[in-house]
Amino acid sequence: MSVQTIVIVGGGYGGYAVAQKLASKFNKSQSHQIILIERKSHFYHSVAGLRTVVEDGFEEKVSIPYDHLFDKHGQGKLIHGTVIKLNKNDLIVRTNDGEEQNITFEIAVIATGSNYPRPAKFDAENKEDGTKEIIRQREAVKNAQKILIVGGGPVGIELAGEIASVYENKKEVTLVHGEDNLLSPNFPNKLRDSLANQLKDLNVKLILGDRIDFQKNNIGDGLSKLTITTEKEQVIESDVQFVAIGAKPNTSLVESLNGSLVDENSHLVKVKPTLQLDLNDEYNHIFAIGDITNVPETKLAFRAGLHADLVSKNISSFIDNKKLEEYKPMKETMFVTIGKKGGAGLLPMFGGLVVGSMMVRNLKGKHLFVDKYRKELNAPTQ
């Protein structure tokens, strides 16, 4: 019996997890070769990445090497490179060394994630370049008097909280958000009010129900002095600017396979409840997970992990010609930290239970899951 190939494109929260699970699954039988393709040399633990703005050396904790990814999970293969062409049963990857390889596969998982402005995510190919950018950003914050954050979703709130809780009254932090309260109206007012009040207690200035037109206000790299006028003509002076809106799903690879697979409005990949590509049954052997999917849920790292759990099981079922499980989005669940000690969260029970800073601090704020993900990637704890 010939060895079949399962290829995973993208080594983010969902991609590396499904690669490990499949490598463990087929380690004994050796019936399938598991290949993970990831451009970056290190996994960037973005859930904790915002703390790099205020804590010296924290980048060492959140930049996690892929070198030991399969140490405890069988015989998976890691290729550092970029997929430049995806076909129905094969792809072309350009390695970081410039070599092009053609890989034929029986099953594929597309986990290409999303792009988001720094410091939530970084695009650097290697740790050295990423570290330089992090330090440059942190030094700019140290030297700034006035800091502007555009966007009052989870990232904007957490970033404001990290800066304001560390520097207290030494920095003027302003947060602009288009809604009349933080987050979106999909979340309970109790949660939104709690987060707003905690930021106000840290002297963060909230400008709500207003927006910034980026075509009229060129922020650039965000590390220079800038005067911005909002749509309601409020003038804001700042030394450093952070954009905490505008996540862009990386769906171009799937779109190049077949444009009908990507929703023209949301730009997300159409998937079946089984997380297979949704175009009749033509691409049943290709799965998609994480931020790129049109699953109706908030795009969060832990959900990509849930996708990985389901897809690893479904691939086994697919191979064995068994019925596949369907993914059922859970109700909104979120922990939003405000520094190491503050924050609020939402749990799915009782129709949506809002929890306070004590639970958020103990479950997330103190550690931001750093040791958890370093352990999962078989890297030394910091």
Side-chain angles (χ1 to χ4, degrees):
M1 176 177 156
S2 62
V3 175
Q4 296 190 333
T5 296
I6 303 174
V7 63
I8 300 98
V9 183
Y13 288 100
Y16 87 75
V18 75
Q20 287 181 328
K21 291 175 187 296
L22 291 172
S24 295
K25 169 73 176 176
F26 296 109
N27 186 41
K28 289 185 178 180
S29 68
Q30 296 187 352
S31 59
H32 290 77
Q33 178 186 29
I34 311 303
I35 300 175
L36 174 64
I37 301 172
E38 166 57 45
R39 179 175 62 88
K40 299 175 183 177
S41 66
H42 285 62
F43 173 83
Y44 183 70
H45 176 34
S46 58
V47 170
L50 302 178
R51 193 159 288 171
T52 63
V53 171
V54 295
E55 187 171 321
D56 290 342
F58 200 72
E59 62 275 7
E60 294 296 329
K61 297 182 178 182
V62 299
S63 297
I64 308 174
Y66 285 104
D67 298 358
H68 303 285
L69 181 66
F70 294 112
D71 282 6
K72 301 176 182 179
H73 300 86
Q75 301 297 316
K77 180 180 180 181
L78 174 64
I79 298 175
H80 286 296
T82 303
V83 176
I84 58 175
K85 178 64 176 175
L86 174 65
N87 299 312
K88 187 175 180 179
N89 290 106
D90 71 289
L91 57 79
I92 300 173
V93 57
R94 180 180 293 133
T95 69
N96 290 355
D97 295 331
E99 177 187 355
E100 290 190 4
Q101 297 180 18
N102 183 274
I103 298 173
T104 301
F105 59 82
E106 279 70 36
I107 297 173
V109 181
I110 312 302
T112 43
S114 60
N115 289 332
Y116 200 92
R118 56 164 182 79
K121 294 187 179 181
F122 281 91
D123 194 47
E125 186 175 285
N126 57 69
K127 180 184 176 183
E128 292 72 22
D129 290 344
T131 298
K132 288 178 183 176
E133 180 60 22
I134 289 170
I135 293 173
R136 180 169 171 254
Q137 180 177 258
R138 187 164 59 236
E139 290 302 310
V141 169
K142 284 182 182 179
N143 296 325
Q145 177 61 36
K146 299 178 179 180
I147 298 167
L148 170 64
I149 298 170
V150 183
V155 173
I157 295 168
E158 292 194 345
L159 181 56
E162 291 290 339
I163 296 171
S165 63
V166 168
Y167 287 104
E168 298 177 334
N169 294 323
K170 297 175 184 177
K171 311 285 184 188
E172 296 178 25
V173 181
T174 300
L175 186 151
V176 179
H177 187 51
E179 302 288 345
D180 291 332
N181 202 343
L182 296 176
L183 300 177
S184 75
N186 297 331
F187 292 93
N189 286 331
K190 183 179 179 181
L191 173 65
R192 303 170 79 193
D193 290 341
S194 174
L195 293 168
N197 289 332
Q198 290 182 61
L199 287 183
K200 290 175 184 176
D201 288 344
L202 291 171
N203 296 313
V204 175
K205 181 181 179 181
L206 301 181
I207 299 177
L208 302 173
D210 203 353
R211 291 177 168 81
I212 291 172
D213 186 338
F214 292 109
Q215 292 184 336
K216 295 180 180 178
N217 298 277
N218 182 18
I219 288 181
D221 67 2
L223 303 182
S224 304
K225 287 182 179 291
L226 188 66
T227 300
I228 283 176
T229 303
T230 70
E231 291 184 356
K232 292 185 177 179
E233 299 187 347
Q234 290 201 61
V235 178
I236 305 170
E237 294 182 352
S238 59
D239 303 308
V240 173
Q241 308 83 36
F242 292 104
V243 177
I245 56 175
K248 296 180 180 178
N250 295 319
T251 57
S252 59
L253 193 62
V254 176
E255 190 169 16
S256 70
L257 173 64
N258 190 317
S260 299
L261 289 166
V262 177
D263 185 272
E264 61 182 11
N265 295 315
S266 68
H267 305 292
L268 295 171
V269 174
K270 300 174 186 176
V271 292
K272 299 177 180 180
T274 53
L275 300 182
Q276 296 163 291
L277 297 189
D278 189 6
L279 189 62
N280 302 315
D281 292 328
E282 185 176 356
Y283 300 103
N284 277 352
H285 64 299
I286 303 179
F287 297 77
I289 62 175
D291 287 0
I292 63 170
T293 68
N294 68 340
V295 175
E297 62 186 6
T298 307
K299 306 304 181 185
L300 298 171
F302 84 91
R303 297 191 195 280
L306 297 178
H307 293 187
D309 290 340
L310 182 83
V311 164
S312 60
K313 295 175 184 176
N314 277 350
I315 287 176
S316 294
S317 298
F318 181 80
I319 292 168
D320 295 336
N321 293 314
K322 294 180 180 178
K323 184 179 179 180
L324 275 59
E325 294 182 30
E326 294 188 353
Y327 180 76
K328 296 177 176 59
M330 62 191 299
K331 293 181 180 179
E332 286 290 2
T333 304
M334 181 183 293
F335 280 0
V336 182
T337 61
I338 295 182
K340 294 181 179 180
K341 298 180 179 180
L346 181 66
L347 296 176
M349 64 274 292
F350 308 119
L353 177 64
V354 176
V355 297
S357 59
M358 181 179 292
M359 180 175 286
V360 173
R361 174 172 68 248
N362 290 325
L363 293 181
K364 181 181 177 184
K366 285 182 179 179
H367 47 74
L368 297 174
F369 309 116
V370 167
D371 287 348
K372 165 183 164 61
Y373 285 102
R374 294 192 69 87
K375 182 178 180 180
E376 287 190 6
L377 278 87
N378 301 311
T381 57
Q382 292 283 318

